[in-house]
Each structure stands twice: as C-alpha cells, then as structure tokens.
Amino acid sequence: MKIVVLGAGYVGLTTSACLAELGHDVTCCDIDGDRIAALERAEVPIFEPGLSELIGKQIALGRLHFTTHATKAAGTADAIFLAVGTPSDANGDIDLSYVETAAKTIAPYMQSRAVLVIKSTVVAGTARRVKALVDASRGSKDIAVASNPEFLREGSAIKDFMHADRIVIGADDAASEAVLREVYEPLLLRGIPLVATQTVNAELIKYAANALLALRIGFINDVADLCEKLEGDVGAVADGIGRDHRIGSAFLSAGPGFGGSCFPKDTRAFASTGRRHGAPQPLIETLIERNELRKEALADRIIDAAPRHGRVAILGTSFKANTDDVREAAALTIIPRLIEAGLDVHLHDPQPNGAKRLLPDAHWHTSALDATRGADVTVVLTEWDEYRSLDLAELRKAMRGQALLDFRNIIDRERAASAGLIYQGLGRSGIVVQPARRGHAITAKAPVAASPA
Ligand code: UGA
C-alpha cells in the first residue's frame, strides 16, 4: 500500500519506519526542510534504539522516502497518517491546530476513498470534527477520517510497534476500517489482537490507558512514602501485589514522578475533557497535583541531605532510560530548585543532548564518575543501565561526602553500605529478612546507613 505520514517527530518517524518494514511504500513528510534533508541521509534527529538502523535499511530498500512536499505525495496515497504535535496549553487542553491545519491542507490533494488516519494523541471527538473540516475543504464527503492511537514507549518504540499488545482502529464506516486492517495485516497475521471500534472509543482508549498507567505510578509512589514511615520495602510490596494476575507487575516501580511527552500532557487533557463535558475525573486531577508535588518534595530531600552551598551530582536527566528526551522530566523541576537553594550541581546523562539545550549553563560531565568528584551528595535520577553497574567503591572515593540518593531503586543498598556510602532509596528503608540457616527466618535491620568513614 502507499502510505503518507505527516510529521517527522518521534511518532511519525517510528510509524514510517515500521510501516515500511511491514512492506508498505511510505513517504514521511515534514515542513522542516533541514530535518528532511538530514533524514534523506538517514541522519535521525532523535535517540531511539534501532531507529536509525531501521530508517537506513528502509531507505536502501527503496520503501521509505522523505519530502517536504506533502501535497504532492498525498495524491497517490491509500492512507495518510497524521502524526503532528498536539502541545498542551495553560489549562491542560491540547492544541489541535496542527492536526486541523494539516488535515485541511492535505484533504484537497487526497484521492477519493483514501483514509485520513489520526495517529497524534487527540481528545475524544476530534476525528469527527476533523471529518467535518475535511468535507468542507473538499466540498465532498468521500474521505473517511479514522483514529489509530499509538502505544509506543520511548526507548522501545520499534519493539512496541512490531510486538504490540493490541492494535486499536477507530473507524466510523466499514470502508476505512478495511483500509486500516490492510495496513496492519502483517501484524494481525502474526496474531496481534485487533480492537476495531468507533473513532470516539479509540480516542478514549488512548487517554484512559495512559491515565490508568499513570495512576499506577502515582499509587505506588504513595505506597513508597508509606513504606518509608513503616520501615517497609516498596519493591517487596509491588512484587506481592503484582503477582495477582488481575493487577500485574508492570508500571509499579516507585520513582521521582512520571514525566515525558505523554503522561503529564495526556492526564491534563483527560482531566480537562472531563471538566468540560461535566464528567469530572477527580482521581486524575489529584494524581496530576501529587505527581508535581513529588518532584518538589524529592528536590527538598536532596537539599536536606546536602551541606549549605554543597556539591550535588545528578546522574540522569532524561525522563527515563534509553531516551534523550527531557520533556517534563523530574530533572527539570529538581535541578533549578537545587541551584536556587545555592547548591553546586553537576550533571551526567549518557544521552545529554536534550537536557543540554534546556540547561546549557549547568556543569556537564562526560562520565558519571567525573560528575560525582567532590560531591557531597550523589543522586540517581534516571534508571540508565550504566548507573546500575556503577563501581561504588570508586564512587565513594570520588565523592567528598557519603550520601547516595537512589530515586530509581536500582542500586543494591547493601553493596552501597559496604562501599561506605549512606544509601537512601525510595520506599526501601525496611527490614531485611536474612535467609535462615535451618529453615527459620531471622529478621535484621537493613543497613540503610553506613558508619562515617
Ligand atoms: C507512555 C506509554 O507507556 C505508551 O504506551 C504511550 O504510547 C506513550 O506514553 C504515548 O502516549 O505516546 P512513554 O511516555 O514513552 O510511554 O514512557 P513510559 O515508559 O510510559 O514512562 C512514563 C513515565 O513514567 C517515565 O517518567 C517513567 O520513568 C515513569 N514510570 C514508568 C515510573 O515512574 N514507574 C514505572 O513503573 C513506569
């Protein structure tokens, strides 16, 4: 099939490369000429594991093309995917102007019976509104507008596309549903389940899924706080509840509050849609507030652990591992607050490009150990694998102080204590159950703090 994708951002690029991998002839369009010129040379502007390689491969196979001339490409396409941005405004509503402008611009150039597919995350009812705009722009009703939300996670986007849990198609007529079934046929034949429903339901599925995942994170973060008060261990609690198949174990890792380009924006849009339609979403409203407060509270925890004008090393600025994305990352709340408190902040991230644009004046280091030299406090803020395997004895030697705050719970606290570090994770100040010698369990206080060196 001939497919056009409008938008060469994270979603547009992943979708284009993966649809080409499924065998389609894909043209990815963007108005940014420099970006398109770089992509034609297989230079990918974002860090996403495997994406450059896949794009290079599909260009070489002749199945993936890039252009700034969307209207020209549109004329022969069977389906046009809109993957343009939907930024948040101050009220939490999303700005649909890019989606609407792209739809109105492309509609007159589409061939009759082609389908316009909304891939961008949009509030419920958008596909039907866009359909009215498209009809008006063409002066005819021959183009269907469908919804096909994406569930890709940054850092594992290609795998999430190729091995999706489900494909959701929102279509208000049988013909557009048939086109989308054909687009995804290679994946459906592999047994990936299809959820085919109306556009409004598909749009709601996307928001409700993100809201529920974000709620799990907010919930486990609150449980982590309680664990700290009761000397419990949130890891053990998450493990115990996650083994109930009705609950499941995913998205139960305590952390510094969710960030990224999706959960914060989508929860705000979900809450605001609820308010606007008289169906308030109080759980989500509370979640949004608590998630922001968590980032601030953890900044204060660092300030309390550091001496006045002390030095703090932050390991990890991306909103999660395997991405250079810092949108709404905890680092963006925490670091300015530390600097404002008079602390000398030193940063490291294996993929610092995104963060460097926003924090250009910060002290950046090219190795994690360099960032920690002379630090009074070291904070692990992103769960990069290289921080899991930090040489803790070297870390202790590099630091001036001993405090290691692990906001991702990725470091073994006993290893940290034996290296002479004073370790504090999130919700893991608990009692350790030592294996008993003759079948009896012995409980012992966890070595949360080492004695001063
Ligand atoms: C999220 C969803 O997981 C995807 O399914 C969805 O397609 C995407 O949003 C989107 O709407 O486009 P993403 O934002 O890439 O994907 O990242 P996640 O892996 O979901 O993580 C979001 C945030 O939650 C991160 O800050 C992460 O550190 C945090 N998190 C995640 C936790 O604190 N604990 C967890 O157990 C899981």
Side-chain angles (χ1 to χ4, degrees):
M1 294 178 88
K2 275 197 176 255
I3 293 175
V4 164
V5 176
L6 300 187
Y10 164 75
V11 172
L13 283 177
T14 310
T15 305
S16 299
C18 291
L19 289 176
E21 175 77 1
L22 296 186
H24 300 300
D25 181 88
V26 182
T27 303
C28 177
C29 314
D30 201 286
I31 48 172
D32 182 340
D34 291 342
R35 177 171 281 237
I36 289 296
L39 284 164
E40 279 175 329
R41 300 188 297 271
E43 288 167 18
V44 179
I46 51 171
F47 173 76
E48 176 63 37
L51 187 58
S52 315
E53 293 80 354
L54 189 58
I55 286 179
K57 175 183 159 193
Q58 294 306 325
I59 291 175
L61 287 171
R63 291 202 293 242
L64 180 57
H65 325 275
F66 292 97
T67 183
T68 50
H69 302 294
T71 50
K72 212 162 132 197
T76 52
D78 301 299
I80 297 191
F81 283 75
L82 289 184
V84 294
T86 50
S88 257
D89 71 12
N91 301 324
D93 287 317
I94 59 165
D95 174 0
L96 288 171
S97 60
Y98 297 107
V99 170
E100 292 175 354
T101 306
K104 278 190 288 189
T105 311
I106 208 75
Y109 299 89
M110 291 173 70
Q111 59 178 341
S112 197
R113 287 185 302 282
V115 181
L116 186 62
V117 187
I118 302 183
K119 195 72 168 148
S120 311
T121 299
V122 293
V123 288
T126 302
R128 289 177 186 169
R129 248 181 55 202
V130 168
K131 165 78 176 135
L133 294 175
V134 165
D135 289 350
S137 150
R138 281 178 76 81
S140 128
K141 292 181 185 295
D142 61 337
I143 295 284
V145 178
S147 160
N148 173 222
E150 56 84 18
F151 302 98
L152 316 174
R153 287 163 300 170
E154 291 189 28
S156 56
I158 294 170
K159 181 176 147 279
D160 289 348
F161 188 102
M162 292 297 178
H163 304 276
D165 286 344
R166 78 302 203 188
I167 292 164
V168 175
I169 291 176
D172 293 329
D173 67 293
S176 58
E177 185 187 312
V179 170
L180 275 165
R181 276 179 189 268
E182 200 181 331
V183 168
Y184 286 108
E185 193 175 44
L187 295 179
L188 301 178
L189 287 173
R190 274 189 222 162
I192 295 181
L194 173 72
V195 178
T197 181
Q198 296 183 341
T199 53
V200 68
N201 295 334
E203 291 162 336
L204 278 170
I205 287 169
K206 168 70 188 188
Y207 274 111
N210 273 2
L212 189 56
L213 288 168
L215 269 174
R216 287 172 70 99
I217 299 168
F219 174 73
I220 206 68
N221 285 340
D222 283 348
V223 173
D225 286 349
L226 188 58
C227 285
E228 283 171 18
K229 301 287 179 203
L230 298 175
E231 297 194 323
D233 183 331
V234 71
V237 176
D239 183 37
I241 56 180
R243 282 172 197 272
D244 183 327
H245 77 275
R246 294 168 303 174
I247 296 174
S249 59
F251 280 69
L252 285 179
S253 300
F258 55 80
S261 63
C262 306
F263 285 179
K265 177 165 81 86
D266 293 354
T267 47
R268 286 195 296 266
F270 192 62
S272 135
T273 307
R275 281 197 301 276
R276 200 152 11 88
H277 291 279
Q281 301 295 317
L283 290 177
I284 303 300
E285 303 270 8
T286 307
L287 171 72
I288 294 166
E289 193 188 336
R290 286 201 56 75
N291 193 55
E292 286 316 303
L293 288 175
R294 179 164 189 81
K295 295 173 185 174
E296 291 168 19
L298 291 184
D300 292 344
R301 197 179 280 198
I302 302 169
I303 295 167
D304 289 346
R308 228 170 141 247
H309 303 303
R311 184 163 167 159
V312 175
I314 301 282
L315 302 186
T317 47
S318 304
F319 82 96
K320 64 173 187 178
N322 298 323
T323 176
D324 62 354
D325 197 341
V326 280
R327 283 175 284 178
E328 308 222 22
L332 297 186
T333 303
I334 291 175
I335 293 166
R337 216 170 157 99
L338 302 186
I339 293 171
E340 205 180 295
L343 294 170
D344 179 17
V345 182
H346 290 253
L347 309 178
H348 174 263
D349 192 285
Q351 292 292 334
N353 291 346
K356 275 186 175 168
R357 279 194 288 275
L358 294 173
L359 302 162
D361 301 328
H363 302 289
W364 283 96
H365 297 266
T366 48
S367 91
L369 215 54
D370 277 349
T372 65
R373 263 181 233 296
D376 297 293
V377 180
T378 292
V379 183
V380 176
L381 203 47
T382 310
E383 72 284 19
W384 286 100
D385 276 345
E386 75 165 85
Y387 303 149
R388 291 178 201 273
S389 53
L390 272 178
D391 183 331
L392 298 179
E394 286 298 315
L395 172 69
R396 173 67 193 96
K397 262 198 257 160
M399 288 176 67
R400 176 167 62 195
Q402 292 171 277
L404 173 60
L405 304 188
D406 176 8
F407 289 169
R408 294 290 185 166
N409 289 348
I410 58 171
I411 290 177
D412 185 278
R413 57 187 168 179
E414 288 172 52
R415 234 168 35 86
S418 13
L421 292 158
I422 301 177
Y423 176 88
Q424 202 185 93
L426 294 179
R428 34 177 0 199
S429 53
I431 310 277
V432 174
V433 180
Q434 306 286 2
R437 260 197 231 137
R438 276 189 295 272
H440 297 288
I442 319 162
T443 56
K445 190 94 177 117
V448 283
S451 50

